[in-house]
Amino acid sequence: MPDTDTTTGPADGSAPAARKRLVSGPGLLLVWVYGVITVGAVSRSVYQISTEFDRAPLPYTLTGLAALVYCFITYSLVRGGETARRAARLCCAAELAGVVIVGTWTLVRPEAFPDSTVWSQFGMGYLFIPVVLPVTGMLWLRVRR
């Protein structure tokens, strides 16, 4: 399978634009893991926000935010192209910052979190995948320049 996809070019019929694929080799595993964690975070946040929001609004809102970040990164990786690569890399950096901030916050002020988030204790409830995944993603996206 080639590393570029040909997409439709400009309306004037000139040469089609090439979009560099991000989902090849190890990138396929990265997309798969992001897809799985997206499903987990979206499912968890939808359930918690719709049924128990008044119990712990901060953690449930943060889980919803994490779910949106995961969705966007997954979409960007699948979409491919330079713009999507840059957007995914920026979101991976934001995700890592979120994991570090929320992870530290949950350790320093646990009373602020009556329930855990995806990023609580650096993603311990998700086998620390939330702290490893953005670093892996940024490295992969750097290699795929």
Side-chain angles (χ1 to χ4, degrees):
M1 187 177 279
D3 271 340
T4 57
D5 277 347
T6 309
T7 59
T8 57
D12 65 2
S14 61
R19 186 184 310 165
K20 190 166 186 179
R21 291 184 46 123
L22 299 173
V23 185
S24 61
L28 185 59
L29 178 60
L30 185 66
V31 169
W32 184 84
V33 174
Y34 262 115
V36 169
I37 202 161
T38 297
V39 170
V42 168
S43 302
R44 178 180 180 163
S45 67
V46 166
Y47 174 78
Q48 290 175 326
I49 289 171
S50 64
T51 63
E52 306 170 334
F53 187 74
D54 55 335
R55 192 179 82 163
L58 178 62
Y60 299 157
T61 301
L62 289 171
T63 297
L65 177 64
L68 289 174
V69 170
Y70 293 143
C71 285
F72 186 78
I73 293 170
T74 304
Y75 169 77
S76 296
L77 290 171
V78 170
R79 176 144 171 65
E82 184 58 25
T83 303
R85 187 190 67 77
R86 281 192 219 136
R89 200 161 170 210
L90 181 67
C91 281
C92 284
E95 174 193 358
L96 181 60
V99 172
V100 169
I101 291 166
V102 173
T104 303
W105 192 3
T106 57
L107 294 176
V108 173
R109 301 278 320 258
E111 67 277 2
F113 293 87
D115 203 352
S116 63
T117 74
V118 173
W119 295 340
S120 290
Q121 300 168 335
F122 306 103
M124 188 168 79
Y126 285 78
L127 304 174
F128 297 102
I129 292 171
V131 78
V132 173
L133 201 54
V135 173
T136 306
M138 287 188 292
L139 289 172
W140 172 249
L141 291 165
R142 185 175 182 189
V143 168
R144 295 301 294 174
R145 266 195 229 161

